Amino acid sequence: MADEPGGGGCSLQDYPTIDPTSFDVVLCGTGLPESVLAAACAAAGKTVLHVDPNPFYGSLFSSLPLPSLPSFLSSSSGSVPSPSSSATTLSTTSYAVVDLHRRSLYSEVETSGTVPELSRRITVDLVGPRVLYCADEGVDLLLRSGGSHHVEFKSVEGGTLLYWEGGLYPVPDSRQAIFKDTTLQLKEKNLLFRFFKLVQTHIAASSAGAEVGEGEASGKLPEEDLDLPFIEFLKKQHLSPKMRAVVLYAIAMADYGQDGAHSCEKLLTTREGIKTIALYSSSIGRFANAEGAFIYPMYGHGELPQAFCRCAAVKGALYVLRMPATALLVDEGKKRYVGTRLASGQDILCQQLILDPSYEIPSLDMPCNAPVSNSPRKVARGICIISSSVKQDSLNVLVVFPPKSLEEEQVAAVRVLQLSSNLAVCPPGMFMVYLSTPCADAFTGKKYINKAIEILFTTKASDDPEGHLEITSENNKEVKPTLIWSCVYVQEITEGTTTLSCPMPDENLDYRSILESTKKLFAEICPNDEFLPRNSAPKYADDDSDSAE
Amino acid sequence: MHGRPRRPDKPEDAAAADAKAAKLRDLQTQVLRNHHSRTYSKEALGLSFKLLELNPEAYTAWNYRKLAFQHNLGELSELEAIKSSIDDELRVVELALRQNPKSYGAWYHRKWLLNQKLAPVDFKREFGLLDKLLKVDARNFHGWNYRRFLAKFMGVPEEEELKYTKDKISDNFSNYSAWHNRSILLSNLLTQQRKGFESKQKIFSEEFELVTQALFTDPSDQSGWFYHLWLLAQTSSPENPQLIASWPSNGAKLSLSSVREANDKQNTPSSFSSICCYSLKEGILPIVLFFNEPVKGLTPSSVSLNSDLVVGKNIQWRPLSVTDSGHSYCWVTYLEVSNLEYCSSQQFSVEASIPNTDDIVSRSGSSYNCPVHFTFTFEPNNIDSITEDTDLIHDPISWDCSEPLPSHVKPSCIHSDQLKITNALIQEESKWHLERLSDELDLFRELPDDNSKFAKLTLARLLLACAAIKSRGSSLIERRGYCEEALGLFNDLIYLDPSHKRYYEDERSLVLMDQLTCNMESFMKYCSVQVLPNLAPLNHVQLCRLSLTCIGFVERLLWVQMLDLSHNNLRSIEGLEALQHLVCLNVSNNQISSFTALKPLTEILSLKVLDLSFNEIGTHPINTTRYICPTPFSHKVEACEAFEECQKKNINVEEFWDAILFFKHVNLVQLGFEGNAIANKENFRTLVVTLNPSIKWLDGACVH
């Protein structure tokens, strides 16, 4: 658990001296990608040093006690306290020292409401709203690395709700859910299930391999359909606008509106859409005790990097917290990084250096791997504490506001994740809610986050007669949950400019894209090694921990 | 559990199987030895347990354990000891079920144990076991059987069990067992009029709603369709059996010869006041009662017959076309009129009535509550002229179906009433039934056409159910619309689902027959009066070239004397037995494949002329008629004289057994059988002539 965020004020004497001084891989920051890399490198037999300026694990992926949140959101900027340069270094070798700076990813932080009592028992994620698909890469990595022994999951058992025409509808995501749904018309049910079946046949045929034979006879969709924008394919299946919204935004988890022809680059292809549906459907029922497709780690997402760090440590990686990196060591002849200078003043040499994305990578006169994008992506995030569940009788629920549902100009979906005390992220009697939406500018992003908050919750006491939210699946109108505390802010997302840097928490609901980039990084570091092979997990007596609680 | 492909055995599996077999054999011998020597020691029981654990199908071992249990029980006195010995047995069953959850023996053993009622049953444990089992395989019917057993044993209210089925359906609606159990529970609850189950209409509306959700979600899943079919049957048919037709019909006048009268007054059809009844010649007057569903319990007391004659003594009602458990649509009795002392031209009247009676019941157990009364008269006159004329049919009858029927000649006896039966029988048309069915129709027309055979079939069935209700009323035009749509659907289905082609063809034939016969106007096109030389005019119906594969709606044909069904695709003539008045039948150019399929004709005493030419009798070496006809000849028929007679004439009895039985029971004057494979067989002609001495014309040639 993160206990002392922002505590970087150690005096020099407090820093331990690290021995040895040369490693295969040095990683600064213990975010999820760095931690996965550390575990993977350690498993591949590399010597690994993993340092973090914070006294807790997770960096940008950590979960913090609520009181520490404001300082974290505001203080992770500024330059790293730099010890007197080369005071303790034996600068016999010829390398240059480039000072490192850290930047703040967060802006426009705005909080309101009163922090409830017992606030230290409230843990907030920096990456929220985020979940894992039961069948996604993250879960597989945990199982393969043995990290699953250190985390416990619970399912988002309340399923997904879609905000549509002023009400919240349960998302019919399976045959049984379609059957039980009370809001769909019979014809819609028929078309929706027919679509699911079509997709499932395709998935089964594709996974059965090529030997079955190509073409429509095998049940596969024709190539021209796969290249079609997903929205066009859905229209071809005669799905109603509401059903299209269900599939696009609540199952395929598209970020941007797929209706407008102008946003062509953001159009999901059928191939991509079906890939996510395949993941979604294989997630349902993967673990007997997990209801629905999604699971959430108990105690928050900060547990995940920790779990991988432990795996790395088991494999021999060296861990030092409260240890910022202050400078890069550059081999001027070769124009490459050869090590880092730590806050203790010690210079550590390494073959490969990885920095967490809060470090500003100084642009040297060496070739950049990727051009720096001039306008970074942004994601507006919200964290709320509310009094009761948005869906009766459910603890953990996902809510999706599809594009245009809040107002006509809304281009991106707003996703909301409600978590209950059964995940040990808050005391009983309250719920944590995370919201996010990708945005071009902070103003619009925050506007939609606030709109969604307004729709879902009431700020007044619950006896306000207007505080009703229409849940159409129920006949009786339900009382909106009361908003106790909220925080809305904007996070910048810049993508790895060099091989030095790991990906940031992105606007997605899951870790797929982050882990994909991490995998690529690993391939560059260890081109001949398998990424966390199955047998890298330490052997435990029984391996039934792969089930979510 | 379901839908998993079988994998071929690997060689190492074969070795393991051999070892297992050896072990099983060994255990089995030991258990059997103990069984014979009545050794019920702990050790011996252990052996039987080992055997059952490996092979729960070893039934003898279960029985051995039952004997052992009873034997050892005698030595126990304390309740605790009894309890623990029951527990041991229950555990054996559980372990056996783990090996095979569908073991009959194991399940029976458990029921047997509980039925001993030696100790209080731990129902929690039993239901827990069931839950576990049904979780593994929700469609394990053993599990469901046991659940019903337990529920009854423990007295679980059926309302609760109904709720359980709903839960199971919510988990997975392709659970036929759950739907099935639901139908049974609902039937019971509705019959008992339990609280909340007073209104059949309300309950069924809800059930339709529920099952429709499943049907629309996944129309290719058949469990829901079965349930829908059950609901439909509950909705479309009247609750109590009804008499829908009789022969003779109300007000009919029968005579033996109306030859003269008919010839005299041919131009005024209305004067055909009396109908020639050929069977009167044999001194027999058949009375036929036809019900809307199979019934049983017709006796002289449940059906009263009053007449100037003393007829009440030897009345025996006999079911024609018996379905299961002795129920039949059609019942007949034969009045003996040969030895009557009568003076010429005397009329006798017969009065028949069926009061409300609990004796006559349908298969579902509902009793007859639709009182009916009808009278008819007959005059056994001119008996002298008949005795002269022993064979009515002198000349071969020509069936010229290409010739259009003379339209001006109308059958004398048919009144539209006869086709529909008296209005008194029409129950008040159920408004709810019709509304419900129309709603369902509208709904299924909405089901996007993905060529689902279930959807099409259900739609066709709904249309026919609507048509049936409409026919009870008078909206014949709407009715025609329903029928035509249904015909189209069956035509689609024949192409869509060729493996069930024959079923759809039969259904289509029924609709066609219904359409042709449902109202006088359309039916008249097929009816005429055939006047043959030296013969009383015959009521003639011609249904040729209609691609019929089976016969339906025979209740509308009870008056027919001459029936031409040639040039169809008939494979069965089931139903014709109700036509007790039939004299001439033409089924040439059809697909009848054996004499077994002609069994119904042996019930018609008056049948004289039969044309079987150009069928497929003798073509198929294997007779499958047995499987498609409800009442084929059975092998059980005791060797009758006919067999001996044939054997004397060197006729192969084994080959011709069905032909022998057929010709033994009919009394034909004319027979056509050319164009059948059997016609070329040696001895077949001999067989016919031997068994049917009255035969005069064989394939158009005079026999004598």
Side-chain angles (χ1 to χ4, degrees), chain A residues 175-176 189-190 193 197, chain B residues 170-171 173 213 216-217 220:
Chain A
R175 189 168 175 264
Q176 280 316 115
K189 289 191 170 193
N190 181 266
F193 182 67
K197 217 161 119 183
Chain B
S170 293
D171 287 350
F173 63 80
Q213 301 296 325
F216 270 76
T217 304
S220 62

Side-chain angles (χ1 to χ4, degrees), chain A residues 6 64 101 120 239 247 263 273 294 318 326 343 399 401 425 470 538:
Chain A
L64 309 169
H101 294 276
R120 287 205 67 82
L239 294 190
V247 175
S263 54
F294 302 117
L318 186 61
T326 56
V399 182
F401 290 84
V425 292
E470 204 183 332

Side-chain angles (χ1 to χ4, degrees), chain A residues 129-285:
Chain A
R130 203 170 291 265
V131 290
L132 282 84
Y133 288 90
C134 289
D136 75 8
E137 175 95 36
V139 173
D140 282 342
L141 283 181
L142 279 168
L143 293 174
R144 263 149 59 188
S145 64
S148 54
H149 296 286
H150 312 297
V151 228
E152 224 181 288
F153 288 92
K154 284 209 162 125
S155 60
V156 181
E157 94 296 338
T160 310
L161 299 173
L162 181 78
Y163 182 75
W164 189 257
E165 285 169 357
L168 291 175
Y169 294 88
V171 168
D173 55 358
S174 68
R175 189 168 175 264
Q176 280 316 115
I178 297 173
F179 169 62
K180 282 192 265 187
D181 191 286
T182 52
T183 63
L184 291 177
Q185 288 169 0
L186 285 168
K187 213 170 171 179
E188 286 182 306
K189 289 191 170 193
N190 181 266
L191 289 170
L192 187 61
F193 182 67
R194 199 132 53 113
F195 166 74
F196 282 164
K197 217 161 119 183
L198 191 74
V199 170
Q200 255 145 22
T201 320
H202 169 80
I203 294 166
S206 316
S207 64
E211 79 269 17
V212 186
E214 301 291 320
E216 279 181 60
S218 65
K220 276 197 200 175
L221 295 171
E223 284 294 312
E224 60 263 31
D225 273 354
L226 291 174
D227 294 330
L228 226 58
F230 200 29
I231 176 104
E232 293 306 320
F233 183 69
L234 296 180
K235 281 181 184 163
K236 232 174 114 178
Q237 304 304 317
H238 310 289
L239 294 190
S240 65
K242 183 178 160 191
M243 291 301 100
R244 296 204 291 266
V246 162
V247 175
L248 286 170
Y249 308 112
I251 295 176
M253 297 297 170
D255 288 319
Y256 291 97
Q258 307 284 312
D259 280 315
H262 50 276
S263 54
C264 275
E265 31 156 2
K266 287 157 187 168
L267 278 190
L268 217 56
T269 63
T270 304
R271 198 185 306 277
E272 292 162 337
I274 283 178
K275 204 174 150 200
T276 308
I277 295 179
L279 175 65
Y280 191 99
S281 64
S282 59
S283 290
I284 293 176

Side-chain angles (χ1 to χ4, degrees), chain B residues 37-313:
Chain B
S37 64
R38 303 197 178 160
T39 314
Y40 301 129
S41 66
K42 215 168 194 173
E43 224 175 23
L45 276 169
L47 279 174
S48 71
F49 165 62
K50 265 190 196 160
L51 174 60
L52 288 170
E53 199 185 15
L54 272 174
N55 175 22
E57 305 305 311
Y59 218 103
T60 312
W62 287 117
N63 286 337
Y64 164 73
R65 282 195 80 91
K66 288 189 188 78
L67 289 171
F69 176 77
Q70 279 172 331
H71 174 264
N72 293 340
L73 201 66
E75 293 160 17
L76 301 171
S77 51
E78 281 171 63
L79 184 66
E80 280 308 306
I82 295 174
K83 243 186 192 166
S84 89
S85 99
I86 292 177
D87 266 359
D88 285 348
E89 287 301 306
L90 289 176
R91 204 160 308 126
V92 171
V93 172
E94 272 157 39
L95 286 167
L97 287 177
R98 198 166 292 172
Q99 171 71 23
N100 177 13
K102 294 191 173 176
S103 162
Y104 284 86
W107 284 110
Y108 181 73
H109 195 69
R110 203 171 183 89
K111 284 187 197 173
W112 178 84
L113 272 169
L114 297 195
N115 269 328
Q116 300 297 302
K117 297 185 179 159
L118 294 165
V121 179
D122 181 1
F123 285 110
K124 219 171 154 189
R125 171 176 170 179
E126 297 304 309
F127 279 111
L129 175 78
L130 266 182
D131 279 342
K132 227 183 273 171
L133 194 97
L134 290 180
K135 201 166 256 173
V136 174
D137 177 7
R139 293 182 283 184
N140 182 342
F141 69 89
H142 295 268
W144 283 92
N145 278 340
Y146 189 64
R147 195 177 174 93
R148 280 191 284 271
F149 164 80
L150 271 185
K152 208 171 166 193
F153 193 83
M154 190 184 159
V156 178
E158 287 183 318
E159 288 90 338
E160 256 172 57
E161 286 299 291
L162 190 73
K163 203 180 154 288
Y164 181 79
T165 63
K166 179 85 174 275
D167 291 348
K168 279 282 150 191
I169 290 165
S170 293
D171 287 350
N172 181 0
F173 63 80
S174 32
N175 187 337
Y176 180 62
S177 305
W179 287 111
H180 171 67
N181 207 25
R182 195 169 176 79
S183 70
I184 290 176
L185 291 166
L186 271 178
S187 302
N188 291 347
L189 287 166
L190 285 166
T191 345
Q192 294 162 23
Q193 290 282 298
R194 293 277 269 278
K195 193 173 179 293
F197 295 88
E198 296 91 352
S199 162
K200 187 177 171 182
Q201 304 187 354
K202 182 174 153 275
I203 296 292
F204 277 121
S205 297
E206 285 166 11
E207 293 304 303
F208 268 118
E209 172 66 23
L210 176 70
V211 76
T212 312
Q213 301 296 325
L215 297 181
F216 270 76
T217 304
D218 188 359
S220 62
D221 186 87
Q222 62 178 338
S223 18
W225 291 109
F226 279 121
Y227 190 66
H228 190 271
L229 185 59
W230 176 75
L231 286 176
L232 179 59
Q234 302 301 303
T235 312
S236 58
S237 58
E239 298 192 13
N240 295 89
Q242 295 175 357
L243 182 73
I244 51 168
S246 72
W247 175 261
S249 55
N250 192 19
K253 283 183 190 166
L254 309 179
S255 67
L256 186 43
S257 106
S258 51
V259 183
R260 295 291 134 72
E261 286 174 63
N263 282 341
D264 293 344
K265 301 169 185 174
Q266 200 169 356
N267 294 330
T268 49
S270 60
S271 69
F272 282 102
S273 54
S274 68
I275 308 153
C276 166
C277 176
Y278 277 87
S279 60
L280 281 178
K281 186 181 73 88
E282 330 258 345
I284 287 168
L285 176 60
I287 300 177
V288 178
L289 298 179
F290 205 98
F291 295 85
N292 68 330
E293 60 179 318
V295 293
K296 68 174 178 184
L298 275 81
T299 59
S301 62
S302 59
V303 182
S304 76
L305 283 180
N306 289 313
S307 168
D308 320 346
L309 302 162
V310 187
V311 290
K313 278 179 191 163

Side-chain angles (χ1 to χ4, degrees), chain A residues 14-29:
Chain A
D14 294 336
Y15 292 119
T17 310
I18 293 162
D19 179 49
T21 56
S22 172
F23 290 86
D24 291 333
V25 182
V26 171
L27 302 115
C28 303

Side-chain angles (χ1 to χ4, degrees), chain A residues 204-539:
Chain A
S206 316
S207 64
E211 79 269 17
V212 186
E214 301 291 320
E216 279 181 60
S218 65
K220 276 197 200 175
L221 295 171
E223 284 294 312
E224 60 263 31
D225 273 354
L226 291 174
D227 294 330
L228 226 58
F230 200 29
I231 176 104
E232 293 306 320
F233 183 69
L234 296 180
K235 281 181 184 163
K236 232 174 114 178
Q237 304 304 317
H238 310 289
L239 294 190
S240 65
K242 183 178 160 191
M243 291 301 100
R244 296 204 291 266
V246 162
V247 175
L248 286 170
Y249 308 112
I251 295 176
M253 297 297 170
D255 288 319
Y256 291 97
Q258 307 284 312
D259 280 315
H262 50 276
S263 54
C264 275
E265 31 156 2
K266 287 157 187 168
L267 278 190
L268 217 56
T269 63
T270 304
R271 198 185 306 277
E272 292 162 337
I274 283 178
K275 204 174 150 200
T276 308
I277 295 179
L279 175 65
Y280 191 99
S281 64
S282 59
S283 290
I284 293 176
R286 178 177 187 193
F287 303 121
N289 45 4
E291 222 177 301
F294 302 117
I295 47 174
Y296 181 91
M298 283 190 75
Y299 306 105
H301 275 280
E303 294 297 298
L304 296 177
Q306 270 192 78
F308 284 105
C309 288
R310 287 194 192 193
C311 296
V314 168
K315 292 278 177 186
L318 186 61
Y319 275 83
V320 184
L321 292 187
R322 295 187 185 88
M323 180 66 87
T326 56
L328 290 175
L329 307 179
V330 185
D331 174 350
E332 275 176 296
K334 289 184 187 168
K335 300 266 183 200
R336 59 179 286 268
Y337 303 109
V338 294
T340 180
R341 174 166 297 165
L342 300 177
S344 59
Q346 194 177 8
D347 284 351
I348 302 289
L349 296 181
C350 61
Q351 299 292 313
Q352 187 67 47
L353 180 68
I354 301 287
L355 297 175
D356 100 24
S358 64
Y359 286 99
E360 235 165 62
I361 310 293
S363 49
L364 299 180
D365 48 347
M366 54 189 238
C368 270
N369 289 28
V372 183
S373 54
N374 18 9
S375 66
R377 272 144 63 207
K378 285 192 168 75
V379 54
R381 296 192 197 275
I383 304 170
C384 302
I385 299 170
I386 55 167
S387 61
S388 58
S389 175
V390 295
K391 187 185 175 193
Q392 214 175 17
D393 302 326
S394 292
L395 299 173
N396 309 316
V397 187
L398 196 65
V399 182
V400 175
F401 290 84
K404 292 188 180 175
S405 65
L406 293 166
E407 63 177 49
E408 194 53 35
E409 288 73 35
Q410 179 200 356
V411 292
V414 179
R415 281 189 284 261
V416 184
L417 177 65
Q418 172 192 284
L419 304 169
S420 80
S421 59
N422 83 326
L423 294 165
V425 292
C426 61
M430 53 180 86
F431 292 84
M432 297 300 297
V433 173
Y434 295 95
L435 306 94
S436 79
T437 185
C439 55
D441 61 283
F443 174 76
T444 44
K446 283 177 74 178
K447 181 173 81 177
Y448 293 128
I449 294 289
N450 283 321
K451 273 216 154 142
I453 291 175
E454 255 171 59
I455 285 170
L456 289 172
F457 318 121
T458 169
T459 46
K460 292 167 202 152
S462 56
D463 55 0
D464 180 350
E466 279 178 69
H468 289 286
L469 178 64
E470 204 183 332
I471 298 238
T472 34
S473 64
E474 250 73 48
N475 284 334
N476 55 326
K477 289 196 167 186
E478 285 186 19
V479 178
K480 279 190 196 181
T482 308
L483 183 65
I484 299 169
W485 177 89
S486 71
C487 171
V488 180
Y489 62 95
V490 175
Q491 186 212 315
E492 212 175 85
I493 308 166
T494 42
E495 255 165 295
T497 47
T498 65
T499 51
L500 269 178
S501 184
C502 274
M504 290 185 191
D506 56 17
E507 66 273 54
N508 295 331
L509 184 65
D510 55 82
Y511 288 115
R512 275 187 294 165
S513 136
I514 289 170
L515 290 173
E516 199 49 48
S517 316
T518 308
K519 222 166 153 179
K520 273 187 202 144
L521 270 177
F522 177 79
E524 282 177 41
I525 301 168
C526 310
N528 300 320
D529 286 297
E530 201 187 326
F531 183 59
L532 279 175
R534 183 153 286 281
N535 56 11
S536 65
K539 289 278 175 267

